[in-house]
Amino acid sequence: MTESNIDECARILAAHPDYRLVQRYQRPERYASPPEDESTLRTGVYLDTETTGFDADTCQIIELAMVRFRFTTDGRIVDFAGDYDEFNDPGSPIPDDIVALTGITDDMVRGQMLDHNEISAFLDGVALVIAHNAAFDRRFVEAHLEGFESLAWACSAQQVPWREAGFESRKLEYVAYRQGFFYDGHRAINDCLAGLHMLAQPILNSTGFAHLLTNARSKGQRIYAERSPFETKDQLRLRGYRWNNGDNGHPKAWYIDVADDDAETELAWLRSEIFKRQVTLPTTAITPFNRFSQRI
């Protein structure tokens, strides 16, 4: 079958209500035309890591990938501005389950090292770093590399209203499928390219990236329900509180992140429903520069 025949079959299937067409990701040359004044453009990086495990303090990065891109301040991805994709030898055998998940073997990483100077140069001029699970990736790169702590971060899983737009899952592969494309996953550079493509697609009268940019700019408060009565733990959990064990230097307590405008309402709820009295509770300001970091 010729390429033209395949394209015609795809067109017919895509137009039929009983079929949904899913195509392999093809990297576009650009997503939008740049503005006349290109000095107004900003540079972002979409980042992904593959690691030997889930604990940034004890596990190692085995692959780091980054895709630089340019964007407008009103939330349009314009074009690509460079790739970075390197392996890193963790110094010990890669666990079998990680090999099975990523396809990265000991032979592939043996003797490889991440070049800190090259990474620093790649990050020069970057206004925003995005990852699909920023709370995971940010902790790893901050634990093992320099230059990431001072940058603003955003999460394409948490800061795009996928559920409101009708997506039942925020997993990258699922969102891609629903948007009509697939890719070879679980390799860091492929995940970066797919994540950026995903953000460029329209949702809720805008694009995923525009929604992400709005939410990334927001500020908030982390409120710690320090010394909350033990019997209220289920009540706090149901409201969305998470437990901090105190190892990071912050209070050993249940906590929640809320927008600045909602902080006083949340504090009033804690005093009324949890503590049953007036209390002063510790809070930490959340900005794009510390959000998703283990430093808060």
Side-chain angles (χ1 to χ4, degrees), residues 24 26 72 75 111 167 189 209 261:
R24 181 180 294 277
Q26 297 291 328
T72 63
F167 293 83
I189 192 65
F209 181 70
D261 292 344

Side-chain angles (χ1 to χ4, degrees), residues 25 43 80 108 159 176 181-182 188 195 207 230 245 256-258:
Y25 166 79
T43 300
F80 299 97
M108 294 168 66
Q159 294 184 299
F181 74 97
F182 69 95
T207 64
F230 178 79
N245 61 15
I256 195 170
D257 296 341
V258 297

Side-chain angles (χ1 to χ4, degrees), residues 118-130:
E118 187 177 355
I119 293 170
S120 178
F122 194 87
L123 294 174
D124 186 45
V126 166
L128 181 68
V129 178
I130 305 170

Side-chain angles (χ1 to χ4, degrees), residues 15-160:
H16 196 286
D18 292 340
Y19 294 88
R20 175 174 292 170
L21 186 65
V22 182
Q23 294 179 289
R24 181 180 294 277
Y25 166 79
Q26 297 291 328
R27 183 170 181 162
E29 181 179 350
R30 63 174 49 171
Y31 287 104
S33 297
E36 289 187 12
D37 182 5
E38 293 196 17
S39 67
T40 63
L41 291 174
R42 301 291 182 267
T43 300
V45 159
Y46 200 106
L47 174 150
D48 188 58
T49 61
E50 302 295 347
T51 67
T52 58
F54 300 104
D55 187 343
D57 293 327
T58 59
C59 298
Q60 301 295 321
I61 297 170
I62 55 175
E63 184 183 17
L64 171 66
M66 298 182 285
V67 174
R68 278 173 69 104
F69 64 96
R70 299 193 301 169
F71 65 93
T72 63
T73 55
D74 64 351
R76 288 182 297 115
I77 298 173
V78 174
D79 54 20
F80 299 97
D83 297 352
Y84 176 95
D85 185 18
E86 297 292 342
F87 290 125
N88 184 61
D89 190 336
S92 59
I94 300 172
D96 290 343
D97 59 332
I98 300 299
V99 175
L101 177 66
T102 66
I104 300 173
T105 66
D106 293 330
D107 288 341
M108 294 168 66
V109 303
R110 186 170 290 113
Q112 304 293 316
M113 292 183 62
L114 298 176
D115 187 322
H116 291 230
N117 291 330
E118 187 177 355
I119 293 170
S120 178
F122 194 87
L123 294 174
D124 186 45
V126 166
L128 181 68
V129 178
I130 305 170
H132 198 62
N133 184 356
F136 176 87
D137 292 292
R138 181 165 195 173
R139 290 176 182 180
F140 265 91
V141 296
E142 287 190 356
H144 299 285
L145 300 167
E146 298 176 354
F148 288 98
E149 289 188 359
S150 61
L151 297 175
W153 280 68
C155 181
S156 55
Q158 299 291 335
Q159 294 184 299
V160 179

